[in-house]
Amino acid sequence: MQEHPDYRTLEERLAEWRTEILTRMDREDELSVLPSYPRVNLAREAGATVRVDSYLGSANPASADAVYYDVTAPAPAGAVPFASEDPDHPVLAELRRRFPLADVAGDGTDVEKAVRLRDWIKSLFPHHIPYRMPEWNALLILDRGSRGVEHFICVHYSVALVQSCLALGIPARMINLHRGISDSYRIGDEAVADPPVDEHVVAEIFSSEQGGWVMMDTDFDVHYERDGQALSAWEIHQAFADDELAKIEPRRGPHSLSFNAYGERLPDEDEFFATKLPAYYAHITVLMRNDFLSDTDGPVTMAHPVDGTATPILWHRGSDNRLQPHLMGPVVVAQPYTEVTPVLTDGNRRTGWASADAAEPHTVEVALAGPRLLGRAVLHWPEYRLRYHSSAVYRLETRDGDDGAWEPWIDVTDGAETPYSVHDAPTRRATHVRLAQPAGGGSADFPDRLWLTQLELYAPSA
């Protein structure tokens, strides 16, 4: 553990923690009673902003081809990479042993097998908000759901279907849907916001017969067809965007019901499946990995194809999108895309930001609240898989004024693995600070990624 005397005292850490708690509880009127300290993180001052060059967790490809490809074959040029689960994973083997997946799926096409699995999973337990948010493990979900120990919702139905299909050798993945995107709604009011920003989670399976992806909604026990062809989530989106919902047909299973978020039955069944449920396909986002058994908390890229109606999305305020089971995974956290993110200066080192994994330079730029004297920079690096992923090569630069030239301030050419790096440097007057990592300058495990949890800037010591 790196030690740095004079960095932060215990009292300062306690005050920072209390400030964060009161802010999150909307009790900002109580902040004035907290003790103050002379050292202020200038990157967190009101009016300061942080701009980044890219996001690992948010991808907005201009073409759906970047995500709609056969993930069992080499990815085509320009595709968003997909991480697949090991088919020999012990949980998948136990899933096959404990549950009659092959018998349920039966013979026929991949779509026919997935439909039977979907119908069966939906029959095991009703839709209700769970007591807790379990890990994404179909063995746990099917076991506890089938015994009536717990209830689950759309994301858990989808996890169960995806991993059941994987256990039988059918490629499958998770899809997140949003009716709309907004940055001005309150948690709990997603369905009544303007526009409505509530979401739904479904799955897609890759049909070897059709040579493409097919959407399977286990929670509502339904998929959609057009001219006898089962549709992907993106094709449903296109029908919705082109006002052609009358040309697609819901294919409902025996346990298909219309209900609201509380599990209450809705009376307008036909209208719901014909128009209201497809409205959730206004925005479709593909989770570009299904290896949640092998990597239970690692970052996941959310790939959201963009077209004339689906505008770019930013996930989790630009975080690295590690899975958060208490949030059901990715849930109601999408907002309009921006290059500005508060994740690096919110005082929370449990979340972080990561650049795209691209073999090119990456930057983080802080626009300070005004001209400031700087003397210290502190960079906090993420812990992942029992290692700290600190960059090996990077430079901190400063600029005084919007039109000033960038001037070198701190250079690191052989950074060691460490939880945080404290840099004391010559006093510098600046309005902007930029952290620049050259191509390949990241950690040993992720050389093409710039990955941080917090960035702090301080005035020189008295």
Side-chain angles (χ1 to χ4, degrees):
M1 183 75 168
Q2 176 183 349
E3 297 292 342
H4 192 281
D6 190 43
Y7 168 42
R8 286 192 309 164
T9 66
L10 178 61
E11 289 78 11
E12 286 176 307
R13 292 173 184 265
L14 179 60
E16 180 183 272
W17 177 79
R18 293 175 66 188
T19 299
E20 182 69 20
I21 292 297
L22 291 175
T23 301
R24 291 188 181 197
M25 296 176 66
D26 290 327
R27 292 164 55 184
E28 298 190 13
D29 56 317
E30 300 179 39
L31 294 178
S32 60
V33 304
L34 295 181
S36 60
Y37 295 90
R39 285 178 292 192
V40 175
N41 178 5
L42 302 177
R44 285 196 69 181
E45 282 190 301
T49 60
V50 180
R51 186 178 301 274
V52 297
D53 74 287
S54 60
Y55 297 98
L56 178 69
S58 298
N60 291 277
S63 171
D65 292 342
V67 296
Y68 278 91
Y69 60 90
D70 183 354
V71 297
T72 65
V80 180
F82 188 92
S84 296
E85 186 61 85
D86 181 353
D88 295 325
H89 193 281
V91 170
L92 297 183
E94 182 67 8
L95 200 58
R96 289 189 295 268
R97 189 188 71 82
R98 288 273 303 278
F99 294 95
L101 301 183
D103 292 340
V104 170
D107 298 324
T109 67
D110 292 334
V111 171
E112 290 168 341
K113 294 176 182 179
V115 167
R116 295 187 193 108
L117 286 169
R118 183 194 79 202
D119 297 344
W120 171 72
I121 292 171
K122 180 59 180 178
S123 74
L124 296 179
F125 46 87
H127 170 110
H128 284 300
I129 300 297
Y131 309 125
R132 52 150 188 170
M133 296 304 146
E135 56 189 272
W136 288 11
N137 183 313
L139 186 60
L140 180 150
I141 293 168
L142 293 181
D143 173 72
R144 296 182 68 81
S146 63
R147 292 189 293 114
V149 177
E150 284 191 67
H151 299 301
F152 299 105
I153 56 174
C154 59
V155 62
H156 309 112
Y157 282 113
S158 298
V159 168
L161 179 63
V162 165
Q163 293 179 6
S164 294
C165 288
L166 293 178
L168 296 181
I170 302 174
R173 62 190 187 183
M174 306 274 287
I175 306 290
N176 196 279
L177 312 174
H178 274 91
R179 280 205 286 171
I181 302 299
S182 174
D183 57 3
S184 60
Y185 65 90
R186 293 178 62 87
I187 297 296
D189 293 339
E190 296 85 9
V192 297
D194 186 18
V197 297
D198 50 335
E199 56 131 35
H200 183 44
V201 180
V202 298
E204 281 185 331
I205 65 105
F206 191 83
S207 166
S208 58
E209 294 83 9
Q210 291 190 188
W213 292 92
V214 173
M215 190 284 300
M216 291 286 156
D217 186 337
T218 309
D219 199 0
F220 287 105
D221 196 12
V222 68
H223 68 279
Y224 288 83
E225 294 184 357
R226 184 168 185 168
D227 300 327
Q229 186 92 338
L231 301 179
S232 68
W234 181 249
E235 289 168 327
I236 300 170
H237 162 81
Q238 290 177 309
F240 172 76
D242 296 339
D243 197 21
E244 293 184 347
L245 292 181
K247 297 181 179 181
I248 69 173
E249 184 174 0
R251 294 296 188 183
R252 299 168 57 183
H255 308 285
S256 176
L257 303 173
S258 63
F259 50 82
N260 60 20
Y262 303 101
E264 299 167 342
R265 186 78 176 269
L266 299 176
D268 52 347
E269 294 267 329
D270 293 339
E271 176 66 15
F272 176 81
F273 284 98
T275 62
K276 293 184 179 179
L277 187 57
Y280 283 86
Y281 292 77
H283 293 269
I284 77 112
T285 304
V286 183
L287 280 66
M288 296 306 289
R289 51 177 283 232
N290 61 18
D291 59 343
F292 302 112
L293 297 171
S294 302
D295 189 0
T296 57
D297 66 348
V300 52
T301 297
M302 308 291 288
H304 168 256
V306 175
D307 64 7
T309 62
T311 54
I313 284 178
L314 181 66
W315 283 85
H316 272 292
R317 302 187 306 159
S319 79
D320 56 14
N321 262 9
R322 299 201 205 190
L323 287 184
Q324 302 179 54
H326 64 288
L327 287 177
M328 305 182 215
V331 58
V332 196
V333 288
Q335 63 187 72
Y337 185 86
T338 173
E339 294 176 344
V340 175
T341 173
V343 171
L344 285 175
T345 54
D346 61 358
N348 183 5
R349 287 189 292 277
R350 292 171 298 177
T351 60
W353 161 84
S355 72
D357 276 325
E360 57 191 32
H362 295 298
T363 59
V364 175
E365 182 179 326
V366 181
L368 300 170
R372 297 290 187 269
L373 287 179
L374 301 174
R376 171 177 290 173
V378 184
L379 305 176
H380 293 268
W381 310 103
E383 181 187 7
Y384 177 55
R385 293 180 175 173
L386 303 179
R387 295 191 63 180
Y388 289 101
H389 297 277
S390 44
S391 295
V393 182
Y394 58 90
R395 169 184 285 189
L396 282 158
E397 305 166 322
T398 65
R399 190 174 73 191
D400 194 6
D402 292 337
D403 301 324
W406 289 106
E407 300 289 344
W409 186 36
I410 298 165
D411 266 302
V412 174
T413 56
D414 58 351
E417 180 184 346
T418 179
Y420 62 88
S421 301
V422 179
H423 299 290
D424 290 314
T427 300
R428 179 72 58 82
R429 182 181 187 273
T431 58
H432 296 75
V433 178
R434 182 169 70 180
L435 169 63
Q437 175 183 289
S443 67
D445 291 339
F446 303 102
D448 296 327
R449 181 187 305 177
L450 174 54
W451 201 355
L452 290 169
T453 60
Q454 286 289 286
L455 185 154
E456 301 174 6
L457 299 170
Y458 296 97
S461 300

